[in-house]
Each structure stands twice: as C-alpha cells, then as structure tokens.
Amino acid sequence: MNTADYISLEDQYGAHNYQPLDVVLERGDGVWVYDVDGNKFMDCLSAYSAVNQGHCHPRLVKALSEQAQQMTLTSRAFRNDKLGKFYQTLCETTGYEMTLPMNTGAEAVETALKAARKWGYRVKGVEPDQAEIIVCDGNFHGRTITVVGFSSEAQYKEDFGPFPPGFINIPFGDARALEAAITPNTVAFMVEPIQGEGGVIVPPQGYLKKVRQICDKHNVLFMADEIQTGLGRTGKLFACDHEEVRPDVAIIGKALSGGFYPVSAVLASKEILGLFRPGDHGSTFGGNPLGAAVASEALTVLTEEGLIDNANELGEYFQERLAEIPSPHVKEVRGRGLLIGVELKPEAGGARRFCEALQDRGILCKETHQTVIRFAPPLVIKREDVDWALEHITEVLNME
Ligand SMILES: *Cc1c(COP(=O)(O)O)cnc(C)c1O
C-alpha cells in the first residue's frame, strides 16, 4: 500500500470530519515522525499539544507496556493499585487538593461545568436550575453538544442544536466585560489562558490577574481550560502561572498522558470536588490503571527531564527568531513558550498553502483559523532542531 491507498481507504469508510494533510504517518521518535514512504518530518503540531513529551518517549513506552501486561481496566466499581498514586503525583505536581479523572478533554470540561453548577447550588446558594456560566467568544473547549452550544464558531454548531441554556458569552481578554456580565446566578467563568484553536490569541498582560480579582469579589469560580496550554507547553506548568494566578478549577488533558492514551482531569479544592457523591458522575474508563500508570510517568518525565524550562527557553528563542524573518506575508508572531502562532496578512492567500510548502520541506504544521500557522513542537526539541526548522520556515515565508 502507498500513501494514496491509505488515503482512499480512510476516505471510503470514515466520516470526513477532518481535512488532514496528505501525509500518512507510521512511526514517531521525539520531535520526528516518519511516513509510509520513508519521508521524515519535524512534528510542529504535537497532536495539538498532546505529545509534549515527544513521540514514543521510552519511559512512557515502558510504563504503558508494563501496565498493559498487568491490568488495564477495572472500572471504578473496584479500586486499582495505580489510581491513588496517580492522584498523589498529580496533586503534588500541580498544588491542587483534589482531582477527578476523565479521558478526553471535552469530558473533563463537562465535568468542570457540572462541578461549577453543583458548587453554585450547594455552596453559593443559587436557586435550582438558574446557574449561569460565563465563557468567551473564540473559545474552544471541545465538541460535545453542551460545549459547542456556547462556541462562537458557526460551523461548530450548525445542525447540532438545540443546545443547553445557562451560558453567557463575552469578548476574550476583556475584564470589564466579565464584571458586567456577572449576575447573582453566575457560578463560574471558564476561559483558556491563551486561546489555542482560536488562533493562538494571547490576552492583554494582567488580564488573568483581573479575572482572579473579579471572581473573588463576586464569589464566582475561575475555571481555566489548560488542556492545550497546560503541562509545560507555554514554558510554565500552567499558562496561568505566567501571571502568578491560581484558578479555582484547572482542566487538563492532552499531554497528561504524553499522547499515549486519553487521560484528562479536573483539579480543584475539596470544597468543590468534594461535593460529588457516589453516583453523581462517572466514566467507565476514567481513572483506569493503564491511563493512571502512563499519566503518572508522563508527569514525572515533564518535571524530571526539564521539559518545562526547555519550552520556556527555546520557545522564547524560536519566537524571537521567527519575528526577525523578513517576510512580505507575516502580520504578527505571537504566543508563549512553544505555543506560537504566525498570523499571515489577509492577502497572503491563507495559511494552508504555507503548511503544504512546509510539508514539502519536512515540517508538519496545521493552520488554525485559515490565517494562522501554529508552531507547537514537542517540548523535547533541541536548539539545533529549532535552527533547522527556522531555515525552512524562512524560505517558505518568502515564497510568492
Ligand atoms: C483539545 C482541547 C479540548 C478538547 O479536548 P479533546 O480531548 O479533543 O476532547 C478542550 N479545550 C481545549 C483548550 C483544547 O485545546
């Protein structure tokens, strides 16, 4: 089978809910991936920041395969010997008191929304079924019906209504709009500290601090969706750490397992997560020993191997060097750590053709929002890899 055969097989039997680049990958190692024709590419997407630890990290391969031979799934009807240790590693690494494990990011977001509503009724004293949660325009929190219901992206919602009520949208990065939108029924504000899918949008300096103050003043939970920005991607454990702000609820996923297995989690205080009673919420696979074993190791790899500092150092370097590239097409380079967006001018003809040109030169990127090229390589990247990529990016950003 060649590339065309693999693609036609996918297209024949699978729903076409993605438009992937025409590259069929079969192997990965660190920042590098290899296709079925033997071509080598630098992965500058990292599966939307799920592979922060690099492809097939040997310690994660070991943790996964050892656990797979031992025990994979118990369900939460029984306890397993890996879950408690995972909780402990997660809470000690992040400084939160409690966690609730799920699988995908969207499930963790749903869990956080449930937690916020429950807290609103039980602790804040909001009347039944009146809770309001404030979210931002341009958000991306996943693809469930509840979550797309408060997306401002028309295509995410089209044909999928009706949607659950109780969500209010405000502009991103605007602290005044947040304060103005709060009512006595507001239980939470949920926000991405940097909007990833929205186009790598960095809010104004001081925004998250103001959000913290406003939420404190009005007794509203501050919930950060750190699924993409968390776990080292931006050069700190959490993107909120750049403003030394601690949300009441942090939602993580993606890199929590280093891309081996879907593992997500909600992190919060006992006051919030302690409200869940047996039977309130659950997931067959959530907290399974295979996921717990690999996620514990993935967190340890992040901290022990200095990946967060590397993201900070090389992210700054990458971003500075990108901004220096003389190019007729670039409007702005922005981001934090190794979450970098290059926004092209409207007349550049869209980001897709630049991503395809980068693919021809051995770099895999994905455009976001038509005009932004996102560079988010695994955090194990080395300076010489960045330099190699910059050479090719310079050429591509100077094509006709
Ligand atoms: C990817 C992502 C999600 C959804 O995660 P899934 O695992 O795809 O469900 C939610 N929020 C943010 C910020 C994300 O980047």
Side-chain angles (χ1 to χ4, degrees), residues 65-179:
S65 44
E66 282 180 4
Q67 186 58 40
Q69 293 168 54
Q70 200 65 31
M71 164 75 76
T72 57
L73 182 63
T74 52
S75 85
R76 297 280 307 278
F78 311 122
R79 295 179 189 265
N80 71 69
D81 69 343
K82 292 299 175 301
L83 188 55
K85 186 76 189 106
F86 167 50
Y87 284 172
Q88 186 181 29
T89 305
L90 186 52
C91 288
E92 285 179 0
T93 306
T94 60
Y96 281 93
E97 280 178 347
M98 255 193 180
T99 182
L100 200 168
M102 284 280 136
N103 311 284
T104 65
E107 283 173 298
V109 169
E110 292 269 355
T111 302
L113 297 173
K114 281 187 174 179
R117 284 181 170 180
K118 198 176 242 312
W119 175 87
Y121 300 127
R122 298 283 162 149
V123 179
K124 184 164 175 169
V126 173
E127 290 300 312
D129 291 341
Q130 298 304 307
E132 291 169 9
I133 294 174
I134 301 173
V135 295
C136 287
D137 291 339
N139 72 66
F140 184 84
H141 297 291
R143 298 291 199 160
T144 61
I145 285 189
T146 303
V147 168
V148 298
F150 54 76
S151 171
S152 54
E153 194 64 28
Q155 198 201 344
Y156 293 174
K157 321 169 70 152
E158 195 178 61
D159 298 330
F160 299 136
F163 303 112
F167 298 94
I168 286 110
N169 283 71
I170 60 167
F172 179 64
D174 184 345
R176 268 201 209 138
L178 171 61
E179 190 148 33

Side-chain angles (χ1 to χ4, degrees), residues 18 47-49 103-109 139-144 147 192-197 225-229 251 253-254 262 264 374:
Y18 277 88
Y48 301 93
S49 299
N103 311 284
T104 65
E107 283 173 298
V109 169
N139 72 66
F140 184 84
H141 297 291
R143 298 291 199 160
T144 61
V147 168
E192 298 153 86
I194 295 173
Q195 289 187 332
E197 296 317 294
D225 180 347
E226 292 257 18
I227 292 169
Q228 185 160 158
T229 52
I251 310 162
K254 295 203 165 116
S264 63
R374 169 173 31 195

Side-chain angles (χ1 to χ4, degrees), residues 182-194:
I182 290 174
T183 75
N185 291 333
T186 306
V187 297
F189 173 54
M190 182 169 69
V191 67
E192 298 153 86
I194 295 173

Side-chain angles (χ1 to χ4, degrees), residues 252-264:
I252 55 173
K254 295 203 165 116
L256 183 50
S257 69
F260 275 69
Y261 197 87
V263 183
S264 63

Side-chain angles (χ1 to χ4, degrees), residues 13-26:
Y13 294 108
H16 297 185
N17 58 326
Y18 277 88
Q19 190 198 5
L21 288 179
D22 284 339
V23 58
V24 180
L25 301 173
E26 65 172 11

